[in-house]
Amino acid sequence: MVEILAARNSALEKLNMKSVPPAMAAKAPMAAPPASDEALYAAYLATGDVRAFETFVALHRDSVYDFARRCVGDAALAEDIAQEVFLKIFLRTATRTPALPIRAWLLGVTRHVAMNARRADRRREAREDSYSMNIDTQRDATNAAPALTGPELRHALEKLPPDMQLPIALHFLHGLSQPEVATTLGIPAGTVGSRIARGLTTLRTSLAGASGAAFSAVMLEASLRTLPLAQAPASVGAVASLQAAAHAGHAAKAGKTLQAGAKFGAWIPKAVAAAAFVATLAAGAYAFGGGKPSEPARAAVLPAIREIPKGDEKTPPPPESTNSIGVVSYIKVLSDKVPDVSSLDAWKKSYIKDGMSDEEKARTVWKSVWTYQYQDGPPNEFLHNEGLVQDVMKIFNVYGYSFCGVATADTEQLARHVGVKARGWTINRHVVSEMYWDDAWHLMDGSLIVNFPKADGKIASVDEIFAGVADWYGKNPGYKGNEDKLRELEFKGAGFKTGPDVLTRSPSYDDRGWLPAMTHGWYSNMGEYDGSNKMPWEPGYAIGYQVNIQLRKGERLTRNWSNTGLHVNMLEGGGPGCISMTPDKLNRYNIKEGDLTNGRVGNGKLDYAVPLADGSFKAGALSVVNLATSAEDKAGPAVHVQDAAKPGELILRMPCSYIYLSGDLFLKSVIGDGGSIAVAFSDNHGHHWKDVTKITASGEQHIDLKPFAFRRYEYQLKVTLTGKGTGLDALQISHDIQHSQRPLPALGLGDNTISFNAGAQEGTITLEANTDPAQASKQIVYTDYDPAEVNITRPGLMINGAEGSITFPIETPGDMTRLRFGSYYRARDAKAGWDYQVSFDGKSFKTVDRASGPVTNDCKFTISTDVPAGTRKAWVRYAGTTNNNATMINAFRIDADYKEPHGGFAPVKITYNWEEAGVAKQDIHIAKSPDDKYTIKCATKPTMKSIVLELE
């Protein structure tokens, strides 16, 4: 070993860092390697692709080296072990269990090699027992962790005995599931759980003794997940890579042939070791990213090893630091088993094909409504006066359930979006929708999943159904209004088939007359269409919501195919019936349509462990004033007041595509003499702030944000620090969220193609609020946005006089790209209506659209893209006229899209968890480019558990 190191050091001294030896030059351009671990390994096995193998090494060498150090407690020996692991992979002498993910398999091989190394050298036993690993010198300063995840936590972890340290490291640092940890260590799964629990308890006790404050389990686990791995020396994998290059004809003579199975330090020729190290360093950014797979390799940038002309080629500049990327926007993971319905346009692309007739479009709309909205008690956000959620994309993505009036609103939004006319009707105890094709209206009930074909096969209209039911009642007295008698007829054999001719042909009834959702049947249709109530009705809706998953460094979104009983209306009473329904009951009709869920309601988590000490949080913050980090001035705490004479301020914006049901703020405060930390909350984009708490003592703090964040989609959090030495050593924000399981990218039996995309790097500021100020205890109300009102009365924003207006200011953190806005309004006179106006100076307004009368109620939404460059503030005005004091706005929504000032792409880690035949499975994939595809194979029908997204 000493001779090898000497040869390696000698080679390093002689190395010319500006050139690549001709022996390492590629003779011909090669195709870019596949992105996934599985694809890289498969490519190497199938073709011997050198770059695929080198990328594979670059992606995993830190993980292998880190785990090797934890197994043997010695950096030099860990380097040997990691090298031998990759040689085994190159020489194909390591047998892999096909079902085991690549990372778990590699770490299992690492453990096996480490055990052999320990048996061969008993002199290392003292160091193994202590597990004292001084890895500070191996880490680049730019990778410094926050204080809570720095030396105190690292050393506490490394002092744990191996039976506790290794399971914790594999699970939290290396990202293995507990079953994979069990396989890697060769111990029962139950033992893994107990050892992790004991280890976490020991860690908390140790940290409490070191700092004087006990860390919560949530904070400890979050901190462990962000603890960086030990960085492997550049030589790790170099010998195998050199041999791979030689094998493929891309390197000159590399020394004598390596023999599999020999002890590493006993047989590697000094020339080969030195040449390998020289080749590795010379290849630098080309093959291994300068020894940092987190740079080019993890950013999917791996240029070919190529011949560089002497004297006129410069070393490529390093990639942009990930610290400059504040947020990655429009992150989307799709499965080929589930269509994309993340926005109106995404739904249209998924379902509407070129050349479709209006009837085909209408039937697609109808099916979409009952596919993504289960018939149940409705969710209430109280953003509309009636409280209902009447945005089709929210129903599809956030909730997945509601009732008839909302299904009618869904139908109208989707139909109108694809150019099909639609309208609603209020009938007896029901609301239904019609769509128009072939010069006629047709009833398409997406709530009860029913329509009624006539004798000619065409779908009947509401009027035709009323006429047919009225005719039957005339011939069969005693049934109208008598539900008991109607039920008796329905359930007496197939008695419902003796009812009105217009109902008997419906394919929706089962053989007993029940409709697909099993909530209604023939008897209920007979009551609904009995003529006792029939009036046209526009249910009113909002357009603008779309799924925009945004992630910052330290932020993690978990969406589950399950729920914990949380729901949006839990403060008012019971939840929807479907929250506890089993799939066999819930999916009677949907399961044959590709529903792969375990239910309908999902509860997930949005967690943000703010990376304080390295300063990377600044790019993702809304505002940072007078704050310094330990990475900047080498002082503590992790973030602290820079100029003690002035307060320091941090404002974080917390947007989410799913609705918040809880909120927890964890922080570790350090209070200087006479100092304090104040926390404030804003749910109206900083127009007003609510005091949350003031902290005057050092230590770990927990603040309940639920009273502030419940039923919100975004908010701002302001932390104000005063006093010399005052700061934060940790800051974490955690929320339970509600989402629908139905559109999640589920897996099915066999091969599953997973598509990743990070779209336009844009965010959105939304103004949506209840127009009745009396609802302020439940939700934001429109006055929270400080509008300018002229001749407007409340509630309902009605014009008082001949004309009136309401003007909302809206401001964005980055340059504005478009304004999307509209309303659910009333204008009963032909001369009445609302002009939709926009201003960018607050003085001159331009009309971009008009919501016209005469209508009892109608919806009108528009998009304005005529935004001057550099605009960050605009004013949206609804200017109305009336002749009879009946012109009003019932509900509104304004969306201002903007370019994220620190938006960009960073690698995204995608973790799937599921079960096959009761066995836990996991797939971890790093998306290294904004567009990526990979495959997950399920040998048996999977039961989905969760999908987790976070930046790598």
Side-chain angles (χ1 to χ4, degrees):
M1 182 66 189
V2 173
E3 292 177 343
I4 294 173
L5 291 175
R8 185 176 66 182
N9 292 336
S10 175
L12 178 58
E13 292 172 1
K14 298 176 182 179
L15 180 65
N16 177 359
M17 297 296 289
K18 296 183 180 180
S19 64
V20 175
M24 290 297 293
K27 301 302 182 183
M30 301 177 67
S36 73
D37 291 344
E38 293 288 349
L40 288 167
Y41 184 61
Y44 171 65
L45 289 180
T47 66
D49 187 332
V50 177
R51 290 194 302 150
F53 178 76
E54 289 175 338
T55 306
F56 182 88
V57 172
L59 287 174
H60 292 289
R61 60 182 182 171
D62 277 1
S63 186
V64 169
Y65 175 71
D66 179 274
F67 187 55
R69 291 192 71 159
R70 296 184 186 281
C71 288
V72 299
D74 178 79
L77 184 57
E79 184 178 343
D80 289 355
I81 291 168
Q83 187 70 275
E84 186 170 348
V85 168
F86 288 115
L87 282 169
K88 283 181 174 290
I89 305 305
F90 164 64
L91 297 170
R92 309 184 189 192
T93 60
T95 303
R96 182 189 172 203
T97 304
L100 198 62
I102 288 285
R103 182 173 296 187
W105 169 57
L106 275 176
L107 296 178
V109 175
T110 304
R111 174 177 171 268
H112 178 74
V113 174
M115 290 173 63
N116 289 340
R118 284 191 297 184
R119 294 189 189 102
D121 192 351
R122 295 298 180 186
R123 292 173 298 177
R124 301 187 187 272
E125 285 185 356
R127 280 177 290 182
E128 292 168 12
D129 290 341
S130 67
Y131 279 78
S132 175
M133 293 175 278
N134 180 19
I135 58 178
D136 289 1
T137 58
Q138 298 292 334
R139 297 211 178 105
D140 193 283
T142 59
N143 291 330
L148 182 59
T149 61
E152 59 179 310
L153 177 56
R154 185 176 65 243
H155 293 322
L157 175 62
E158 291 163 0
K159 288 179 181 178
L160 289 178
D163 65 332
M164 289 188 282
Q165 181 190 163
L166 297 184
I168 288 176
L170 287 172
H171 183 54
F172 292 103
L173 277 68
H174 293 268
L176 270 60
S177 67
Q178 290 195 20
E180 289 166 358
V181 173
T183 302
T184 301
L185 297 178
I187 59 178
T191 303
V192 169
S194 63
R195 289 183 180 180
I196 288 177
R198 286 191 293 112
L200 292 176
T201 300
T202 304
L203 275 178
R204 291 179 69 190
T205 302
S206 174
L207 290 168
S211 66
F215 295 113
S216 69
V218 173
M219 182 176 287
L220 178 59
E221 291 183 17
S223 299
L224 283 167
R225 293 182 193 280
T226 62
L227 196 66
L229 299 177
Q231 183 179 308
S235 59
V236 169
V239 173
S241 293
L242 185 67
Q243 287 295 308
H247 180 72
H250 295 295
K253 185 177 180 181
K256 71 177 185 181
T257 304
L258 305 181
Q259 300 297 320
K263 293 297 178 184
F264 182 79
W267 51 260
I268 296 182
K270 289 184 288 185
V272 173
F277 188 57
V278 170
T280 302
L281 292 176
Y286 303 111
F288 292 121
K292 296 179 183 178
S294 60
E295 293 177 0
R298 291 186 181 178
V301 179
L302 187 70
I305 299 174
R306 54 194 175 89
E307 191 168 333
I308 298 178
K310 294 182 179 179
D312 60 355
E313 186 80 3
K314 295 181 180 180
T315 302
E320 184 180 16
S321 169
T322 56
N323 281 4
S324 67
I325 303 299
V327 61
V328 182
S329 301
Y330 282 101
I331 294 172
K332 187 182 293 187
V333 178
L334 300 173
S335 156
D336 61 350
K337 304 297 188 293
V338 182
D340 180 9
V341 294
S342 57
S343 68
L344 277 170
D345 287 339
W347 165 83
K348 181 179 178 180
K349 184 178 180 180
S350 294
Y351 282 98
I352 304 300
K353 309 306 178 187
D354 291 342
M356 273 187 168
S357 66
D358 282 352
E359 178 178 0
E360 290 171 324
K361 291 178 182 177
R363 288 182 178 275
T364 301
V365 166
W366 174 65
K367 182 177 178 180
S368 295
V369 171
W370 55 258
T371 295
Y372 294 96
Q373 180 187 302
Y374 183 78
Q375 174 68 17
D376 212 322
N380 294 281
E381 289 181 354
F382 300 102
L383 286 169
H384 289 193
N385 289 354
E386 63 273 30
L388 300 175
V389 179
Q390 298 192 166
D391 183 319
V392 64
M393 290 295 104
K394 279 187 183 178
I395 290 297
F396 282 17
N397 291 282
V398 183
Y399 298 106
Y401 61 90
S402 199
F403 65 175
C404 55
V406 174
T408 298
D410 293 347
T411 301
E412 291 176 351
Q413 291 170 77
L414 296 179
R416 293 168 184 172
H417 191 64
V418 295
V420 175
K421 292 196 294 186
R423 67 184 183 187
W425 291 93
T426 294
I427 59 178
N428 187 32
R429 296 178 297 177
H430 196 32
V431 180
V432 296
S433 55
E434 286 183 309
M435 285 180 278
Y436 193 85
W437 70 82
D438 293 344
D439 299 320
W441 289 100
H442 308 274
L443 177 280
M444 301 292 280
D445 185 345
S447 172
L448 301 187
I449 318 174
V450 65
N451 56 45
F452 301 103
K454 300 181 291 186
D456 61 2
K458 296 180 179 179
I459 304 300
S461 68
V462 169
D463 285 339
E464 289 169 327
I465 299 167
F466 267 94
V469 172
D471 180 68
W472 188 86
Y473 276 138
K475 297 174 182 178
N476 297 272
Y479 281 92
K480 185 176 181 179
N482 191 333
E483 184 174 302
D484 289 339
K485 197 168 183 179
L486 289 168
R487 282 175 174 267
E488 182 182 358
L489 178 59
E490 175 181 339
F491 301 139
K492 186 178 180 180
F496 71 94
K497 293 185 178 179
T498 64
D501 183 64
V502 72
L503 301 186
T504 57
R505 300 183 190 87
S506 177
S508 297
Y509 294 127
D510 68 9
D511 56 7
R512 298 188 63 216
W514 284 103
L515 291 171
M518 301 296 285
T519 57
H520 295 70
W522 173 86
Y523 73 89
S524 54
N525 290 150
M526 288 295 292
E528 291 154 2
Y529 295 93
D530 67 3
S532 59
N533 188 19
K534 177 177 177 281
M535 60 178 290
W537 184 64
E538 177 77 13
Y541 51 77
I543 292 178
Y545 168 89
Q546 51 195 9
V547 177
N548 179 6
I549 294 174
Q550 296 183 290
L551 292 175
R552 292 163 285 196
K553 182 179 177 181
E555 204 162 15
R556 182 173 67 245
L557 174 67
T558 302
R559 291 172 292 173
N560 297 314
W561 278 269
S562 61
N563 68 76
T564 56
L566 302 178
H567 58 90
V568 71
N569 299 129
M570 59 190 181
L571 298 186
E572 286 76 37
C578 62
I579 197 168
S580 57
M581 278 190 179
T582 55
D584 59 324
K585 293 182 179 179
L586 180 66
N587 297 334
R588 288 184 184 94
Y589 62 92
N590 252 342
I591 202 163
K592 64 181 179 181
E593 303 296 340
D595 193 338
L596 302 175
T597 68
N598 303 322
R600 183 51 58 114
V601 180
N603 286 149
K605 297 280 289 187
L606 180 66
D607 299 299
Y608 185 22
V610 184
L612 297 176
D614 66 359
S616 61
F617 73 94
K618 292 184 177 182
L622 201 59
S623 176
V624 181
V625 177
N626 192 33
L627 293 176
T629 69
S630 56
E632 294 167 339
D633 60 11
K634 310 305 179 187
V639 167
H640 48 273
V641 176
Q642 189 170 36
D643 181 352
K646 298 180 292 186
E649 182 181 273
L650 169 64
I651 301 179
L652 296 173
R653 181 168 174 253
M654 294 296 298
C656 185
S657 290
Y658 305 101
I659 199 159
Y660 290 133
L661 301 182
S662 72
D664 292 283
L665 175 63
F666 301 95
L667 58 87
K668 186 178 180 183
S669 60
V670 178
I671 307 298
D673 291 341
S676 67
I677 297 176
V679 179
F681 182 98
S682 175
D683 56 8
N684 55 9
H685 311 300
H687 282 267
H688 308 103
W689 292 93
K690 304 171 186 176
D691 292 333
V692 176
T693 191
K694 186 173 184 179
I695 300 166
T696 57
S698 299
E700 187 177 346
Q701 316 288 339
H702 169 232
I703 298 116
D704 184 8
L705 294 180
K706 181 179 177 182
F708 303 91
F710 185 71
R711 271 199 287 254
R712 305 301 191 258
Y713 285 91
E714 77 159 272
Y715 64 87
Q716 293 179 18
L717 196 69
K718 178 164 64 177
V719 183
T720 304
L721 302 88
T722 58
K724 183 178 181 180
T726 296
L728 295 169
D729 265 335
L731 179 64
Q732 179 173 328
I733 305 166
S734 183
H735 292 281
D736 292 293
I737 60 173
Q738 181 170 349
H739 61 81
S740 173
Q741 296 184 36
R742 186 59 179 86
L744 295 185
L747 308 177
L749 176 63
D751 289 341
N752 297 271
T753 299
I754 307 301
S755 301
F756 169 86
N757 177 260
Q761 293 307 308
E762 291 188 346
T764 301
I765 296 295
T766 298
L767 272 58
E768 187 174 21
N770 200 299
T771 56
D772 181 3
Q775 298 294 322
S777 64
K778 295 180 178 178
Q779 189 51 274
I780 301 169
V781 296
Y782 82 99
T783 53
D784 290 330
Y785 296 126
D786 298 328
E789 302 175 67
V790 178
N791 296 331
I792 297 294
T793 61
R794 312 166 184 171
L797 306 187
M798 182 181 291
I799 296 176
N800 181 20
E803 59 184 31
S805 68
I806 182 166
T807 305
F808 292 94
I810 188 164
E811 197 165 356
T812 54
D815 292 350
M816 202 176 291
T817 55
R818 70 190 67 83
L819 286 164
R820 301 178 282 121
F821 64 102
S823 70
Y824 172 40
Y825 72 99
R826 186 173 72 191
R828 291 178 176 171
D829 188 273
K831 296 181 180 180
W834 295 92
D835 287 331
Y836 290 178
Q837 301 179 339
V838 173
S839 173
F840 298 106
D841 61 9
K843 300 175 182 178
S844 56
F845 284 81
K846 176 183 178 180
T847 298
V848 297
D849 213 330
R850 180 170 173 81
S852 303
V855 290
T856 301
N857 288 295
D858 204 354
C859 297
K860 178 74 172 182
F861 286 81
T862 193
I863 300 175
S864 176
T865 57
D866 188 16
V867 180
T871 295
R872 293 198 176 191
K873 188 171 185 179
W875 289 259
V876 172
R877 173 176 290 173
Y878 298 91
T881 56
T882 185
N883 284 340
N884 54 13
N885 294 328
T887 303
M888 64 185 297
I889 289 177
N890 294 298
F892 71 94
R893 180 176 172 120
I894 303 170
D895 292 292
D897 299 322
Y898 66 92
K899 296 178 182 178
E900 287 287 357
H902 295 285
F905 179 74
V908 178
K909 180 179 177 181
I910 307 161
T911 304
Y912 268 96
N913 294 291
W914 73 97
E915 288 184 358
E916 293 181 33
V919 178
K921 301 288 184 179
Q922 185 180 75
D923 180 90
I924 297 175
H925 177 79
I926 308 299
K928 309 174 193 72
S929 66
D931 292 284
D932 193 9
K933 282 191 176 181
Y934 62 104
T935 301
I936 298 176
K937 186 177 182 64
C938 297
T940 62
K941 182 180 178 181
T943 299
M944 301 307 302
K945 294 299 181 182
S946 67
I947 178 171
V948 183
L949 302 176
E950 56 195 313
L951 299 189
E952 171 70 356

